[in-house]
Each structure stands twice: as structure tokens, then as C-alpha cells.
């Protein structure tokens, strides 16, 4: 083994003990990634591949995120889906006590993370295509009442059982065939309600899901395309 290869294997081994893995991605695909970022490569690359499928399959519909916080994932969604309306759902003041109480009584999580240090203004200032953004501030799902739309991509990143289950109940029926839903925290031991909510909805409704090894333990749902006639 050459010195460089030996050093690489040493560094890779040391990093893997910290759950950081050095491995090739999309080796046989010539096209460079549009979202070329070190922010959670696996989630970003999976998002981009799903985006490519949405475009290739001519899937109609708009996009949404429940759980925007400071807009770190939202700005990437807005940049990729630049021609789609983007509904951003958040209280912008953190968890609601209705949801936190349920978390604690079910032993899902302590629900004590503070997500109140953000604002609609600060989030919108980050958006590359701000005119496509429709902010729905307040308690989800109450903030859905005046919407009549369909979706090709939805990110559910609300951490807790209640808003995740409500998110699936609201968005899955409104997801276009060929559309995708990413649900963060499915494999996060700090927020056990996420997995329960996804399993409850998917098992009861006969929906398949694929967990991915990104940093947040995301799970991906895809609504099958209609067969070509
Ligand atoms: C983990 S943060 C979202 C992180 C964000 N997606 C990012 O890219 O950094 C979770 C967010 O979900 C929001 N949230 C949780 N439950 C909610 C509910 N029922 N209605 C509206 N927002 C909710 C919180 O206010 C918080 O900002």
C-alpha cells in the first residue's frame, strides 16, 4: 500500500469512529451535482436525485416544508425548485405545548429544544427565489385551512409525533403521483415519536418507505407513478 493510500485509510478509519464516512458518491454519473455542498451530502444528493425524477417524470405540483426554523434546508429547496410555489410552515416560535405534552407523556422526547431564535424576515432574506415563498406562520395543521394545492415534494422536519403525523395526513393525499416526502428524524433516538408517526401512517395506509443514512436519519416516501397506457 502506498503512503497516500495508507494515510487515507487511517483518516477514514478515525473519522468513521465519529460517524463521518469518506466514500465515493455517484461514481458512474457524469453530471455534477447542482447542490454541491458539504451540508449533509447524503440528504442533499438524495434530494437532488429525487428532484431529477420529478422533472424527468413531468410531475406537477408545488413544494412545502413543515419545520423551517432558520431556513437552512428551505433555502436549498427554494434554489432547486425555483419555479414552484413554496409553502413554509412553522410557528417561528418553537414547539407548541400541545405537541410537547404529548411527547413527554408518551416518552418520545423531552421536546425541550428551543427553536424560537428565528423570524420570518430572517428566513425570507435567505431565499434565492423569495417571490415563490408563501409563509404559513402558526400551528400546523391549523395553518393549512385556506390552501388548495397539490405537491411534488414535501419536507417534514417538525421533530415531534403530532405535527409529523398531521403532516403525513395532510400532504400524502395531496402528493402528486411521482412526488416525494422526506421525513427527518425517523432514525433519531432523541425524537422517537417521528418513527412512530411514520410507521402508524405508512402501515395503516399501505405505503412503502426507504430510510436513508443521512445525518438526521431521514426516511423517504414516494407515491408511485401511474402506469403508462
Ligand atoms: C428541527 S427544526 C427545523 C429545522 C429546519 N428544517 C432546518 O433546515 O434547519 C423543527 C421546527 O419545527 C417547528 N414545529 C414543530 N411543531 C410544529 C407545529 N405543530 N406547527 C408549526 N411548526 C412546528 C418548530 O417551530 C421548529 O422550528
Amino acid at each position: 500500500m502506498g503512503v497516500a493510500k495508507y494515510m487515507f485509510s487511517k483518516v477514514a478509519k478515525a473519522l468513521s469512529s465519529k460517524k463521518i464516512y469518506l466514500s465515493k458518491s455517484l461514481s458512474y454519473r457524469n453530471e455534477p451535482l447542482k447542490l454541491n455542498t458539504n451540508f449533509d451530502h447524503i440528504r442533499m444528493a438524495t434530494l437532488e436525485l429525487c428532484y431529477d425524477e420529478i422533472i424527468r417524470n413531468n410531475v406537477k405540483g408545488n413544494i412545502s416544508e413543515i419545520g423551517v426554523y432558520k431556513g437552512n434546508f428551505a433555502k436549498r429547496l427554494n434554489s432547486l425548485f425555483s419555479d414552484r410555489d413554496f409553502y413554509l410552515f412553522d410557528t417561528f416560535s418553537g414547539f407548541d405545548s400541545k405537541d410537547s405534552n404529548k411527547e413527554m407523556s408518551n416518552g418520545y422526547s423531552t421536546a425541550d429544544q428551543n427553536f424560537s431564535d428565528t423570524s420570518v424576515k430572517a428566513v425570507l432574506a435567505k431565499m434565492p427565489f423569495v417571490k415563490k415563498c408563501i409563509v404559513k406562520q402558526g400551528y400546523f395543521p391549523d395553518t393549512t385551512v385556506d390552501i388548495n394545492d397539490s405537491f411534488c415534494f414535501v419536507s417534514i422536519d417538525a421533530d415531534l409525533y403530532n405535527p409529523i403525523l398531521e403532516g403525513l395526513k395532510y400532504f400524502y393525499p395531496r402528493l402528486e403521483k411521482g412526488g416525494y416526502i422526506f421525513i427527518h428524524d425517523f432514525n433519531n433516538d432523541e425524537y422517537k415519536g417521528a418513527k412512530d408517526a411514520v410507521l402508524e401512517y405508512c402501515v395503516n395506509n399501505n405505503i412503502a418507505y426507504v430510510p436513508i443514512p443521512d445525518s438526521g436519519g431521514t426516511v423517504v416516501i414516494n407515491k408511485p407513478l401511474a402506469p403508462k397506457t
Side-chain angles (χ1 to χ4, degrees):
M1 191 190 288
V3 178
K5 217 167 175 184
Y6 174 76
M7 289 308 292
F8 181 86
S9 74
K10 279 277 182 207
V11 171
K13 200 166 177 189
L15 288 175
S16 70
S17 69
K18 305 213 172 301
K19 298 193 175 181
I20 298 169
Y21 300 96
L22 294 181
S23 67
K24 287 190 178 171
S25 178
L26 298 169
S27 296
Y28 303 103
R29 194 181 193 244
N30 292 330
E31 200 182 320
L33 288 170
K34 291 180 263 305
L35 293 172
N36 192 4
T37 164
N38 285 329
F39 171 76
D40 199 341
H41 168 76
I42 294 172
R43 187 154 58 130
M44 290 305 122
T46 307
L47 166 66
E48 194 167 322
L49 296 177
C50 293
Y51 167 82
D52 287 350
E53 292 307 301
I54 288 168
I55 299 305
R56 195 169 57 80
N57 291 315
N58 196 21
V59 181
K60 306 282 180 246
N62 287 312
I63 66 164
S64 182
E65 179 166 60
I66 315 174
V68 175
Y69 185 38
K70 294 187 178 183
N72 280 338
F73 192 53
K75 71 181 178 193
R76 273 117 183 168
L77 293 178
N78 184 227
S79 138
L80 200 55
F81 292 92
S82 57
D83 61 341
R84 312 285 176 127
D85 287 345
F86 182 17
Y87 293 85
L88 300 102
F89 291 94
D90 206 300
T91 60
F92 296 98
S93 56
F95 297 140
D96 187 281
S97 58
K98 287 194 282 292
D99 298 342
S100 318
N101 291 342
K102 173 129 189 176
E103 288 292 297
M104 290 184 279
S105 62
N106 281 5
Y108 286 144
S109 72
T110 50
D112 56 359
Q113 247 183 306
N114 181 6
F115 289 111
S116 64
D117 58 336
T118 184
S119 69
V120 172
K121 196 175 166 200
V123 166
L124 289 181
K126 287 184 183 167
M127 297 298 147
F129 299 95
V130 70
K131 286 191 176 148
K132 302 306 286 178
C133 295
I134 302 160
V135 175
K136 292 289 178 184
Q137 181 171 15
Y139 183 71
F140 185 92
D142 298 354
T143 41
T144 59
V145 281
D146 58 346
I147 302 171
N148 182 16
D149 219 333
S150 72
F151 298 87
C152 64
F153 183 88
V154 177
S155 160
I156 301 181
D157 187 6
D159 299 353
L160 312 183
Y161 171 88
N162 268 351
I164 294 174
L165 184 59
E166 291 305 319
L168 288 168
K169 284 184 193 166
Y170 180 77
F171 280 112
Y172 190 80
R174 292 168 175 82
L175 191 68
E176 294 280 349
K177 291 188 172 76
Y180 291 85
I181 302 179
F182 280 22
I183 305 115
H184 208 241
D185 300 310
F186 180 80
N187 272 307
N188 179 347
D189 291 339
E190 304 281 311
Y191 286 112
K192 295 191 183 69
K195 185 172 271 176
D196 261 24
V198 173
L199 294 180
E200 185 176 324
Y201 190 78
C202 289
V203 172
N204 287 343
N205 293 285
N206 200 20
I207 294 166
Y209 55 85
V210 180
I212 61 167
D214 67 338
S215 133
T218 293
V219 70
V220 177
I221 290 175
N222 168 231
K223 190 178 269 190
L225 286 163
K228 285 196 174 126
T229 49

